Amino acid sequence: MSRRRWPAAVCALVTAAAAIAVATPAQAANPIITSIYTADPAPLVVGNTMYIYAGRDEAPTGGTNFQMREWHVLSSTDAATWTHHGAKANIATFPWAGADAWASEVEPRNGKYYWYTSINGNGAGWMNIGVAVGDSPLGPFTDAKGGPLISDGTANSSGLNIDPTVFVDDDGQAYMYWGGYWGPRAVRLASNMIDTVGSVVTPTGLTNFWEAPWMFKRGGLYYMMYAANDTSGCVTNSNYACQRYATATNPMGPWTHRGIVLGQVSSTTNHAGIVEFNGQWYIVYHNANAPGGGNFRRSVAVDRLYFNADGTIQPVVQTTTGPPANPGGGGGTGTNLGPSATASTSYVSAWENLSAINNGGTPANSQDRSNLAYGNWPQQGTQWIEYQWPAAQSINKSSVYWFDDNQGIDLPASCALQYWNGSQYVAVTGQSTCGVAGNVENVTTFNAVNTTRLRLQITSRSGYSTGVLEWKAFQS
């Protein structure tokens, strides 16, 4: 996501393409990997795993420009100990591209994973935004479009078309934000995730925007973090950058500036992403702190991030130790109360089976019928499944593995958890994102509730019904 400034405040990704050892453990400290130099990190949580997608810096010692030709993937189940999976995409992934594997981000949709990249084309103009697609967070990834999604030829494109960040809202509408050289841009994406819908717009209210936008949503409020290089409390030298943020009640703005998330780092560029994982918020960013590091030899770091009661973000404390281990995604910790519950639903198809949701099955993928499947075809809109216990249970976490038959049942548009407060169903508080990704266990954490009933509301995509292979509710 964040990017470049020529030649000082830079944040791109371009490297040589040698695949480093695959699936090797990385150290539990900051930077989180030192076997290679990595930059422009973008986090993604899928089930009980956090992934980081980053470009590889390959500039030689003393180099004065970016050399980046490939993108790498790291993963962790506790946000402290990381596994390096090697390069999962490179310039050759895009036959139309010529150079410059700069900042990127992966967004899941429709059971697939779309990798949006900053990359140089072979024709006129400079930086473009491409998109690759894969069936899992680790790919393999292939070019999804056969050409740029955004280029210099796009009407109202940025002065530098880099640092894409993509966000899918609760209603299923996808948005992309990008830009450099003080030129933030935004556009709606089609449901296929590889075409734009409507005109490119220029967001307002992003005070001192330079590059590297990062979009997320929390508690119904939209947050936009981005790199700025002003000396009005951001940095002391405009060759460097900090991370400012703004909020809005609409994904297209207008935005209201709120302050600084991350101060100046040891590299001139400052590129970051924010994600919630196992009930804790994290920021991933890069610096020049690895041995032999520098402005063109950067390394990814991870630290915890905290919100104030009013929704504002506390300035991040940069550490060399990294965050403590935070396990607990999926079935990692706690007792699954699902098998001891009585299940009910708003509707189940005659040929599907409600008992699938708490029979203890471990799906191989979202099409796995080996342990039965629950589905509500031909119903559309919002349906629900529910657990009831004879005595009150203390619950603070849930996970769901969605069913997708590649026909009338598809991954949902959204979901939400409710509990019985003694007289009615109400939303659990402190609820993290209710994930709708395929082929994984989607974990949701929330403030502990003491209840005899827990309900999962499921809203379908237009024209489809929904289904579940396994639903777990964990004792707090």
Side-chain angles (χ1 to χ4, degrees):
M1 308 232 130
S2 329
R3 250 103 226 125
R4 0 264 72 76
R5 180 195 201 79
W6 295 92
V10 242
C11 188
L13 297 160
V14 167
T15 23
I20 306 304
V22 173
T24 56
Q27 63 192 68
N30 277 334
I32 62 173
I33 178 172
T34 56
S35 58
I36 62 171
Y37 297 107
T38 51
D40 299 341
L44 171 68
V45 172
V46 180
N48 66 343
T49 303
M50 186 198 303
Y51 295 90
I52 293 178
Y53 299 84
R56 181 183 176 191
D57 275 339
E58 291 190 90
T61 302
T64 58
N65 210 335
F66 297 111
Q67 290 188 22
M68 307 176 82
R69 294 188 288 257
E70 60 191 23
W71 295 274
H72 285 238
V73 185
L74 297 98
S75 71
S76 177
T77 56
D78 65 3
T81 304
W82 294 86
T83 296
H84 179 209
H85 298 277
K88 294 300 179 181
N90 56 44
I91 290 172
T93 302
F94 303 94
W96 50 269
D100 301 334
W102 286 3
S104 67
E105 182 189 338
V106 171
E107 181 72 14
R109 183 84 186 264
N110 304 327
K112 296 185 181 295
Y113 296 83
Y114 295 87
W115 200 337
Y116 299 85
T117 63
S118 310
I119 195 163
N120 199 338
N122 282 311
W126 188 20
M127 295 303 297
N128 304 303
I129 293 174
V131 55
V133 65
D135 291 328
S136 84
L138 295 176
F141 290 91
T142 58
D143 185 12
K145 193 172 176 64
L149 175 60
I150 298 292
S151 71
D152 285 353
T154 301
N156 194 37
S157 66
S158 175
L160 187 59
N161 293 306
I162 58 172
D163 302 349
T165 179
V166 173
F167 166 78
V168 179
D169 208 351
D170 299 334
D171 62 1
Q173 178 61 60
Y175 302 84
M176 185 172 72
Y177 312 81
W178 75 97
Y181 290 167
W182 306 285
R185 296 292 187 268
V187 72
R188 289 176 173 82
L189 294 179
S191 59
N192 65 10
M193 302 297 280
I194 63 171
D195 291 310
T196 61
V197 176
S199 302
V200 171
V201 302
T202 302
T204 60
L206 301 180
T207 302
N208 296 319
F209 176 94
W210 169 250
E211 60 183 7
W214 179 268
M215 170 74 164
F216 67 100
K217 187 178 183 181
R218 177 182 180 271
L221 190 64
Y222 301 92
Y223 290 77
M224 182 74 76
M225 180 175 65
Y226 55 92
N229 65 341
D230 61 279
T231 56
S232 302
C234 174
V235 292
T236 56
N237 182 326
S238 60
N239 286 329
Y240 288 81
C242 71
Q243 288 285 327
R244 293 187 176 275
Y245 80 104
T247 60
T249 56
N250 184 290
M252 296 296 266
W255 297 91
T256 300
H257 177 256
R258 297 297 185 187
I260 294 173
V261 181
L262 181 68
Q264 182 174 313
V265 297
S266 53
S267 60
T268 49
T269 55
N270 194 335
H271 191 119
I274 291 173
V275 71
E276 184 181 24
F277 178 63
N278 288 350
Q280 171 66 54
W281 288 86
Y282 294 89
I283 186 168
V284 302
Y285 58 101
H286 67 226
N287 58 35
N289 290 0
N295 293 331
F296 308 100
R297 292 155 64 92
R298 300 157 294 176
S299 295
V300 171
V302 179
D303 275 308
R304 289 178 291 184
L305 178 141
Y306 296 94
F307 291 84
N308 297 310
D310 63 359
T312 55
I313 303 175
Q314 297 180 17
V316 170
V317 177
Q318 300 177 43
T319 73
T320 57
T321 57
N326 178 18
T333 61
T335 300
N336 176 22
L337 299 171
S340 65
T342 299
S344 59
T345 181
S346 56
Y347 185 85
V348 60
S349 307
W351 52 89
E352 309 293 6
N353 200 315
L354 179 61
S355 66
I357 70 174
N358 63 343
N359 67 358
T362 303
N365 53 57
S366 287
Q367 290 75 47
D368 185 1
R369 288 179 174 268
S370 61
N371 290 298
L372 304 179
Y374 158 81
N376 51 45
W377 192 90
Q379 304 301 311
Q380 298 182 26
T382 299
Q383 301 294 319
W384 53 262
I385 54 177
E386 176 183 307
Y387 284 151
Q388 183 169 355
W389 296 270
Q393 307 291 326
S394 181
I395 307 169
N396 69 346
K397 184 172 63 174
S398 165
S399 72
V400 60
Y401 206 113
W402 300 110
F403 175 45
D404 177 3
D405 68 358
N406 287 321
Q407 298 180 64
I409 293 177
D410 197 3
L411 301 174
S414 63
C415 55
L417 286 161
Q418 297 179 319
Y419 75 100
W420 184 256
N421 69 359
S423 58
Q424 61 181 338
Y425 275 103
V426 295
V428 298
T429 60
Q431 183 174 179
S432 63
T433 300
C434 190
V436 294
N439 305 316
V440 295
E441 195 171 349
N442 294 269
V443 178
T444 303
T445 58
F446 47 91
N447 297 332
V449 296
N450 200 52
T451 186
T452 58
R453 304 183 206 172
L454 189 70
R455 177 176 287 188
L456 177 63
Q457 285 196 317
I458 312 166
T459 301
S460 69
R461 302 177 191 277
S462 178
Y464 291 96
S465 301
T466 54
V468 172
L469 294 177
E470 192 71 20
W471 178 34
K472 299 177 183 178
F474 292 93
Q475 187 174 46
S476 61

